[in-house]
Amino acid sequence: MADDDSRNSTPSTDLSTRTAPEPPAAALTAAPAAPPGPGAASPAGPRWLLGLVAAGMVIAALNLRPAISGLGPLLEEVRRGLHMNGTVAGLLTSVPSLCFAVFGGLAPRLARRRGPATVVLGGMVAIALGLALRPLAGGTTAFLAATALALAGIAVSNVLMPVVVKHWFPDRVGSMTGLYSMALALGTAGAAAVTVPMTDALGGSWRVGLGAWALLAAVAVVPWAVISRGRSDRAPGAQSAPETVPGQPGEQAATGLRITKSPTAWALGVFFGLQASAAYITMGWLPQIFRDAGVSASAAGVMLAVTMGMGVPLSFVLPKLAARMRHQGPLVFALGVCGLVGYAGLWFAPAAGAWVWALVLGVSNCAFPLALTMIGMRSRSHTGVVKLSAFAQSTGYLISIPGPLLVGSLHDVSGGWHLPLLLMAALMLAQMATGLLAGRDRVIEEGR
């Protein structure tokens, strides 16, 4: 997750190796954060409002992953409490991808009508309600419904954060995106590490431990309620739509581009989906694999936090390195090898080398920022990047849905983790193959 998904750090890198624009700070949306024009170089609002928006962004980002990463360390207790089989538990780890694909696509339209801050406010309310209702569920259906509500809020907020950055901080897109990305990674890793100790401190009930995260989401509602009341929130409606930059190389070709005819677009879509599948499998099932090997619940949560935390430094390093390469295949291959090493370790010595496997799987999970960077490099034009980003991510999130579900089903059928690990290794090999194709030095405007 991933997530991803990082899964939403936005690489603000120099893509001078291509004529494409800066990799979209909104690569997760239909509104890439292009560099501001001469008339858009000043902050959009008074200083107090900008400070409130910055604080609201950080608090919102902290809330965009605990619903997912906080569940993994307590999944065994949730399954026992709700009499949940492995297939349904696998569905829980697939729901994020489904919600991101379905609800995330609605965010730009909602933002045009209501303003991005108002929609983010609604997202924070949905997260708080979903996390508060989830512990009250008496069965799996209610638990899934409450989880879906929280994930719907995450999806729309996730998509609109880069739009918020572009509108209120047009002269600091890179730094504010970095701040948001670090808060996102911190929320992911923190929830994985803190949930079990917090649950123990609050009496040991998984319901209380999971429900406590609703308080953090409730805090995030406050600044966005103030921000959404300002008139400045109504201005950026056009930013949710693809922009046209006359005279930009390839812009005319991209306008009439049929994205589904491009092999590179399909390769990117499949690569994005496979890396997202690997991320959500890791986020949902890695703590359980460690626990079944004899690792304590608390330690398993910390190991997941280590895995997710690797994205903080690497999400800044990888995009810069990828932008300097004509073919990103070597990076795809290196990350894939790390994933295969981690899976092999979980097969042969899951407990003895647990910390090592957590680290190498964390490196492997950083295929997400690499995928975003490649999306920005595979088109010469702003419009082309918008189309490619929308296609690759919507296709990818749909592709990622079955993976976590199959892992849970295979674990139920086999009673162990060897069959699921074989599936995970096969998916990683496919990820490497499609990533090598997607990383080739070509652009979609050429029809390739």
Side-chain angles (χ1 to χ4, degrees):
M1 215 310 229
D3 48 67
D4 120 304
D5 287 353
S6 281
R7 262 139 177 297
N8 285 315
S9 69
T10 304
S12 55
T13 61
D14 177 15
L15 298 183
S16 56
T17 56
R18 272 286 178 203
T19 55
E22 174 187 351
L28 300 174
T29 96
S42 59
R47 181 169 297 183
W48 71 266
L49 178 60
L50 295 178
L52 185 62
V53 172
M57 283 174 48
V58 170
I59 300 172
L62 290 173
N63 280 283
L64 296 183
R65 290 300 179 270
I68 307 168
S69 62
L71 178 61
L74 291 177
L75 188 56
E76 183 175 323
E77 286 78 9
V78 173
R79 290 180 62 181
R80 285 201 306 261
L82 298 177
H83 308 290
M84 187 184 299
N85 61 35
T87 301
V88 176
L91 180 60
L92 271 176
T93 56
S94 295
V95 166
S97 296
L98 178 62
C99 289
F100 289 170
V102 174
F103 296 107
L106 300 176
R109 183 181 303 174
L110 292 172
R112 283 194 295 269
R113 294 180 178 178
R114 301 294 183 184
T118 302
V119 180
V120 172
L121 170 62
M124 294 299 109
V125 171
I127 295 170
L129 286 176
L131 294 180
L133 293 173
R134 192 160 66 168
L136 304 177
T140 56
T141 301
F143 190 88
L144 284 170
T147 299
L149 175 61
L151 291 171
I154 291 171
V156 295
S157 304
N158 205 38
V159 165
L160 291 178
M161 278 294 117
V163 179
V164 169
V165 170
K166 181 179 178 181
H167 175 61
W168 273 282
F169 304 97
D171 58 338
R172 287 180 283 169
V173 169
S175 60
M176 296 308 295
T177 299
L179 178 66
Y180 155 74
S181 300
M182 286 189 291
L184 180 68
L186 180 62
T188 306
V194 170
T195 297
V196 172
M198 180 173 64
T199 300
D200 292 341
L202 295 175
S205 169
W206 64 264
R207 296 180 183 272
V208 177
L210 290 182
W213 291 107
L215 297 176
L216 181 61
V219 172
V221 169
V222 177
W224 289 105
V226 177
I227 296 166
S228 65
R229 297 183 65 181
R231 292 184 178 181
S232 62
D233 180 46
R234 307 293 299 173
Q239 296 181 29
S240 298
E243 299 175 12
T244 301
V245 184
Q248 188 172 3
E251 198 66 47
Q252 185 175 0
T255 301
L257 179 68
R258 298 184 66 182
I259 196 74
T260 56
K261 299 294 185 180
S262 169
T264 297
W266 279 106
L268 266 171
V270 176
F271 174 67
F272 192 96
L274 291 171
Q275 66 80 27
S277 184
Y280 285 113
I281 288 172
T282 298
M283 200 180 301
W285 290 110
L286 185 61
Q288 191 62 53
I289 295 174
F290 284 140
R291 291 186 66 177
D292 287 352
V295 177
S296 70
S298 179
V302 173
M303 289 174 191
L304 178 60
V306 169
T307 300
M308 298 295 105
M310 290 297 292
V312 177
L314 291 180
S315 63
F316 290 99
V317 175
L318 274 176
K320 293 180 180 180
L321 183 59
R324 290 172 171 80
M325 303 171 67
R326 295 186 65 83
H327 193 310
Q328 290 74 45
L331 291 178
V332 170
F333 184 80
L335 296 180
V337 168
C338 287
L340 294 175
V341 169
Y343 298 154
L346 293 176
W347 181 297
F348 292 107
W355 290 106
V356 178
W357 318 140
L359 285 170
V360 295
L361 288 173
V363 175
S364 179
N365 269 357
C366 290
F368 175 70
L370 177 59
L372 293 186
T373 306
M374 289 197 291
I375 288 173
M377 297 181 72
R378 296 286 87 88
S379 175
R380 291 195 180 102
S381 66
H382 189 104
T383 300
V385 171
V386 171
K387 290 186 175 183
L388 182 57
S389 178
F391 175 80
Q393 293 189 61
S394 60
T395 301
Y397 278 126
L398 289 174
I399 289 173
S400 70
I401 293 171
L405 180 61
L406 288 173
V407 167
S409 298
L410 289 175
H411 178 258
D412 263 8
V413 170
S414 65
W417 290 106
H418 283 181
L419 272 181
L421 286 169
L422 284 176
L423 172 65
M424 292 155 68
L427 292 175
M428 184 59 67
L429 289 171
Q431 176 182 319
M432 294 166 69
T434 54
L436 289 172
L437 294 175
R440 292 177 297 177
D441 184 25
R442 52 184 60 185
V443 292
I444 57 175
E445 286 84 358
E446 296 173 355
R448 297 193 293 170

